[in-house]
Amino acid sequence: MLEKLGLLPPAAATHAAQVDALYLFLIGLSGFFALLIGLLIIVFAIRFRRRSEHEIPSPIEGSLVLELTWTIIPFCLTMVIFFWSARVFVSLRTPPRNAIEMFVVGKQWMWKVQHLEGRREINELHVPTGQPIKLTLTSEDVIHSFYVPAFRIKQDAVPGRYTDEWFEATRPGTYHLFCAEFCGTWHSRMIGSIVVMEPADYQAWLSGGTGATGAAEGAASVAASGEALFTSLGCATCHRGESGALGPALGGIVGTKVRLQSGESVEVDDGYLRESILNPQAKIVAGFQPVMPTFKGQVSEEDLLQLITYIKTLRASPGAGGAHRES
Ligand code: CUA
């Protein structure tokens, strides 16, 4: 009903109902106490008003029952709010394992999207219903924020690191996409649309069948583009995974922990791979020399996402002279 009255944006993802319920509960609770306190002020002002010039109020000793009541009830209410919102937050922050990955790069002033299959779009995002989608976000310049009110999700896209957000769309349609972080002159024009389609329509769109806007034909998958970059940048020369190679073998390395020269360990995730490509001297794996050149300026944010996606597809080859793994 609130949606029809224009008080809430349309609810088009699985999280919408949870977020709305929590939001309405907070509004209801705040409204109830605002009314209660306002009413009590008026009632007390009338009931306990000074009735004559010579009146001296009787001393009040306090009341244990009253003090316990106004301590315990608010405590219980705030605990309900805490556990309820923590549950919603954790669910919003934890993408399911089977989520489809998509990549989003923000720049002044547009959103660039690439699907795993290779299809690209600008200021538009096509997604199927009934499938969890995980967006990996970054920015080329300043902080932007990927905000879809109909899905009740908002996440900053931060230059120099990866963030993510996920959703599962429930209702086909076209929904607003906003940048929700002031990012310069045309921040207000950094908008777009999320097109939610039935899975079959989405597959058709993905293969470039209907309403194609991008270069669909022959678009290489993200991993294939990454492999091409891996070859053309010469990564394989040192990371070919043989013993005696100049760099650590990359097969199966993602998700593991590697020991560093400094003696510390680091988990190999998207952020570490990105740092190692742009600033290779930062965290050298134990047993290797700091000989890798930086690729800063040679690879774009899209290139980095493609390289990282490709590296994730590499499997460990038995007997490879790899890094010193810890787990
Ligand atoms: Cu991008 Cu505001």
Side-chain angles (χ1 to χ4, degrees):
M1 189 188 75
L2 290 169
E3 194 184 318
K4 291 223 173 61
L5 290 172
L7 292 174
L8 279 177
T14 49
H15 280 130
Q18 294 171 39
V19 173
D20 290 354
L22 178 63
Y23 184 67
L24 292 174
F25 174 74
L26 289 174
I27 288 188
L29 195 67
S30 312
F32 172 76
F33 278 104
L35 274 179
L36 180 70
I37 292 167
L39 269 176
L40 284 178
I41 289 174
I42 294 167
V43 170
F44 289 171
I46 295 168
R47 186 159 145 74
F48 299 110
R49 70 185 186 282
R50 202 177 187 199
R51 281 157 214 263
S52 79
E53 280 293 306
H54 312 291
E55 188 178 338
I56 298 167
S58 51
I60 297 168
E61 297 297 333
S63 158
L64 186 64
V65 176
L66 197 57
E67 285 171 20
L68 283 175
T69 312
W70 74 45
T71 306
I72 291 171
I73 291 178
F75 174 77
C76 293
L77 287 173
T78 46
M79 285 298 109
V80 167
I81 294 170
F82 171 72
F83 284 106
W84 185 354
S85 50
R87 251 188 76 170
V88 175
F89 179 76
V90 167
S91 144
L92 272 165
R93 290 302 323 149
T94 318
R97 288 191 161 273
N98 63 339
I100 306 178
E101 265 204 274
M102 296 180 187
F103 305 100
V104 178
V105 178
K107 66 171 270 187
Q108 288 169 320
W109 287 275
M110 63 172 78
W111 293 107
K112 297 186 285 184
V113 179
Q114 188 167 23
H115 298 251
L116 263 185
E117 291 78 1
R119 185 101 198 238
R120 293 165 185 277
E121 34 188 346
I122 286 179
N123 290 342
E124 272 201 342
L125 173 62
H126 288 71
V127 294
T129 55
Q131 265 278 4
I133 313 277
K134 179 189 167 199
L135 304 176
T136 298
L137 307 157
T138 189
S139 165
E140 276 178 26
D141 35 43
V142 299
I143 302 178
H144 304 278
S145 184
F146 195 93
Y147 178 36
V148 188
F151 298 166
R152 313 292 191 267
I153 55 166
K154 174 157 64 179
Q155 174 64 52
D156 281 5
V158 185
R161 58 185 269 192
Y162 295 118
T163 53
D164 59 68
E165 66 182 337
W166 81 276
F167 59 88
E168 183 179 327
T170 50
R171 236 202 278 168
T174 303
Y175 305 99
H176 287 297
L177 160 65
F178 294 111
C179 175
E181 183 71 52
F182 180 67
C183 55
T185 316
W186 284 339
H187 158 70
S188 61
R189 290 196 209 166
M190 193 168 165
I191 53 177
S193 30
I194 310 285
V195 183
V196 178
M197 312 167 99
E198 298 289 354
D201 298 340
Y202 174 71
Q203 282 309 327
W205 174 85
L206 204 55
S207 48
T210 51
T213 48
E217 294 88 49
S221 76
V222 173
S225 307
E227 184 175 11
L229 279 166
F230 197 81
T231 309
S232 66
L233 293 169
C235 310
T237 319
C238 300
H239 294 286
R240 64 187 184 277
E242 294 161 11
S243 58
L246 280 175
L250 300 178
I253 202 172
V254 177
T256 65
K257 271 195 165 175
V258 291
R259 194 139 38 85
L260 301 178
Q261 264 182 354
S262 60
E264 292 165 69
S265 295
V266 64
E267 191 186 329
V268 182
D269 57 10
D270 296 4
Y272 177 58
L273 290 175
R274 182 182 192 284
E275 181 185 40
S276 296
I277 296 167
L278 296 178
N279 183 14
Q281 319 298 332
K283 290 177 188 140
I284 304 275
V285 174
F288 293 94
Q289 295 301 311
V291 291
M292 177 169 158
T294 174
F295 287 85
K296 209 178 216 144
Q298 295 182 52
V299 286
S300 67
E301 291 297 339
E302 278 99 338
D303 294 343
L304 283 164
L305 285 165
Q306 290 165 0
L307 276 167
I308 290 168
T309 304
Y310 170 63
I311 291 170
K312 282 182 186 166
T313 65
L314 296 174
R315 293 284 156 258
S317 51
H324 296 270
R325 304 282 164 73
E326 294 208 327
S327 57

Short mmCIF file of all heavy atoms in Angstrom, two decimals, residues 107-109 111 142-145 179-184 186-188 190, ligand 1:
data_model
loop_
_atom_site.label_atom_id
_atom_site.label_comp_id
_atom_site.label_asym_id
_atom_site.label_seq_id
_atom_site.Cartn_x
_atom_site.Cartn_y
_atom_site.Cartn_z
N LYS A 107 32.86 5.68 -13.00
CA LYS A 107 33.77 6.77 -13.33
C LYS A 107 32.94 8.03 -13.51
O LYS A 107 31.73 7.95 -13.72
CB LYS A 107 34.61 6.47 -14.56
CG LYS A 107 33.82 6.37 -15.86
CD LYS A 107 34.72 6.28 -17.06
CE LYS A 107 35.04 7.66 -17.61
NZ LYS A 107 35.78 7.64 -18.86
N GLN A 108 33.59 9.17 -13.44
CA GLN A 108 32.86 10.42 -13.65
C GLN A 108 32.45 10.50 -15.13
O GLN A 108 33.32 10.64 -15.99
CB GLN A 108 33.75 11.60 -13.31
CG GLN A 108 33.98 11.73 -11.79
CD GLN A 108 35.06 12.72 -11.48
OE1 GLN A 108 36.09 12.78 -12.17
NE2 GLN A 108 34.89 13.50 -10.44
N TRP A 109 31.19 10.41 -15.54
CA TRP A 109 30.03 10.18 -14.71
C TRP A 109 29.20 9.10 -15.37
O TRP A 109 28.21 9.39 -16.00
CB TRP A 109 29.24 11.48 -14.54
CG TRP A 109 29.93 12.46 -13.63
CD1 TRP A 109 29.85 12.49 -12.27
CD2 TRP A 109 30.83 13.52 -13.97
NE1 TRP A 109 30.65 13.49 -11.75
CE2 TRP A 109 31.26 14.15 -12.78
CE3 TRP A 109 31.35 13.96 -15.19
CZ2 TRP A 109 32.16 15.20 -12.76
CZ3 TRP A 109 32.24 15.02 -15.17
CH2 TRP A 109 32.63 15.64 -13.94
N TRP A 111 28.30 4.51 -15.24
CA TRP A 111 28.51 3.17 -14.69
C TRP A 111 28.83 2.23 -15.84
O TRP A 111 28.06 2.16 -16.80
CB TRP A 111 27.25 2.68 -13.98
CG TRP A 111 26.89 3.43 -12.75
CD1 TRP A 111 25.87 4.32 -12.60
CD2 TRP A 111 27.56 3.37 -11.48
NE1 TRP A 111 25.86 4.81 -11.31
CE2 TRP A 111 26.88 4.24 -10.60
CE3 TRP A 111 28.65 2.65 -10.99
CZ2 TRP A 111 27.27 4.42 -9.28
CZ3 TRP A 111 29.03 2.83 -9.67
CH2 TRP A 111 28.34 3.70 -8.83
N VAL A 142 36.90 8.75 -8.39
CA VAL A 142 36.51 9.14 -7.03
C VAL A 142 35.49 8.14 -6.49
O VAL A 142 35.12 7.20 -7.19
CB VAL A 142 35.91 10.56 -7.02
CG1 VAL A 142 36.92 11.58 -7.51
CG2 VAL A 142 34.65 10.61 -7.86
N ILE A 143 35.04 8.34 -5.26
CA ILE A 143 34.07 7.42 -4.68
C ILE A 143 32.69 7.66 -5.30
O ILE A 143 32.21 8.80 -5.37
CB ILE A 143 33.99 7.59 -3.15
CG1 ILE A 143 35.36 7.35 -2.52
CG2 ILE A 143 32.97 6.63 -2.56
CD1 ILE A 143 35.38 7.55 -1.01
N HIS A 144 32.10 6.61 -5.80
CA HIS A 144 30.71 6.64 -6.25
C HIS A 144 29.94 5.66 -5.37
O HIS A 144 30.52 4.96 -4.56
CB HIS A 144 30.61 6.23 -7.72
CG HIS A 144 31.46 7.05 -8.65
ND1 HIS A 144 31.07 8.26 -9.12
CD2 HIS A 144 32.70 6.83 -9.16
CE1 HIS A 144 32.03 8.76 -9.91
NE2 HIS A 144 33.03 7.91 -9.95
N SER A 145 28.64 5.62 -5.57
CA SER A 145 27.85 4.68 -4.77
C SER A 145 26.72 4.12 -5.62
O SER A 145 25.93 4.86 -6.20
CB SER A 145 27.29 5.39 -3.53
OG SER A 145 26.61 4.47 -2.73
N CYS A 179 23.69 7.15 -8.57
CA CYS A 179 24.94 7.28 -7.84
C CYS A 179 24.57 8.04 -6.57
O CYS A 179 23.95 9.11 -6.63
CB CYS A 179 25.98 8.06 -8.63
SG CYS A 179 27.47 8.35 -7.66
N ALA A 180 24.90 7.47 -5.43
CA ALA A 180 24.45 8.06 -4.17
C ALA A 180 25.61 8.68 -3.39
O ALA A 180 25.56 8.80 -2.18
CB ALA A 180 23.75 7.01 -3.32
N GLU A 181 26.68 9.04 -4.10
CA GLU A 181 27.81 9.68 -3.42
C GLU A 181 28.19 10.88 -4.27
O GLU A 181 28.46 10.70 -5.47
CB GLU A 181 28.99 8.69 -3.32
CG GLU A 181 30.19 9.21 -2.57
CD GLU A 181 29.91 9.31 -1.08
OE1 GLU A 181 29.45 8.31 -0.49
OE2 GLU A 181 30.16 10.40 -0.52
N PHE A 182 28.20 12.06 -3.67
CA PHE A 182 28.50 13.26 -4.47
C PHE A 182 29.88 13.13 -5.10
O PHE A 182 30.88 12.98 -4.40
CB PHE A 182 28.42 14.52 -3.62
CG PHE A 182 28.71 15.75 -4.44
CD1 PHE A 182 27.84 16.15 -5.45
CD2 PHE A 182 29.87 16.47 -4.25
CE1 PHE A 182 28.12 17.25 -6.25
CE2 PHE A 182 30.15 17.58 -5.04
CZ PHE A 182 29.27 17.96 -6.04
N CYS A 183 29.93 13.14 -6.45
CA CYS A 183 31.19 12.79 -7.13
C CYS A 183 31.59 13.83 -8.16
O CYS A 183 32.37 13.55 -9.05
CB CYS A 183 31.06 11.41 -7.76
SG CYS A 183 29.67 11.26 -8.88
N GLY A 184 31.07 15.05 -8.07
CA GLY A 184 31.49 16.09 -9.00
C GLY A 184 30.31 16.70 -9.73
O GLY A 184 29.15 16.41 -9.44
N TRP A 186 28.59 16.44 -12.48
CA TRP A 186 27.44 15.76 -13.05
C TRP A 186 27.03 14.53 -12.24
O TRP A 186 26.50 13.57 -12.79
CB TRP A 186 27.71 15.41 -14.51
CG TRP A 186 27.58 16.64 -15.38
CD1 TRP A 186 26.91 17.78 -15.08
CD2 TRP A 186 28.15 16.84 -16.66
NE1 TRP A 186 27.01 18.69 -16.09
CE2 TRP A 186 27.78 18.14 -17.08
CE3 TRP A 186 28.92 16.07 -17.50
CZ2 TRP A 186 28.17 18.67 -18.30
CZ3 TRP A 186 29.32 16.58 -18.71
CH2 TRP A 186 28.94 17.87 -19.11
N HIS A 187 27.30 14.61 -10.96
CA HIS A 187 26.85 13.54 -10.07
C HIS A 187 25.37 13.21 -10.29
O HIS A 187 24.98 12.05 -10.37
CB HIS A 187 27.09 13.97 -8.61
CG HIS A 187 26.26 13.26 -7.60
ND1 HIS A 187 26.44 11.94 -7.29
CD2 HIS A 187 25.21 13.70 -6.86
CE1 HIS A 187 25.55 11.60 -6.37
NE2 HIS A 187 24.80 12.63 -6.10
N SER A 188 24.57 14.27 -10.43
CA SER A 188 23.12 14.05 -10.55
C SER A 188 22.76 13.38 -11.87
O SER A 188 21.66 12.86 -12.02
CB SER A 188 22.39 15.39 -10.43
OG SER A 188 22.79 16.25 -11.47
N MET A 190 24.59 10.90 -13.07
CA MET A 190 25.18 9.56 -13.06
C MET A 190 24.10 8.56 -12.67
O MET A 190 24.13 7.96 -11.61
CB MET A 190 26.35 9.53 -12.07
CG MET A 190 27.21 8.30 -12.24
SD MET A 190 28.73 8.49 -11.32
CE MET A 190 29.29 6.79 -11.31
CU1 CUA B 1 29.13 9.08 -9.09
CU2 CUA B 1 27.90 10.56 -7.71
#
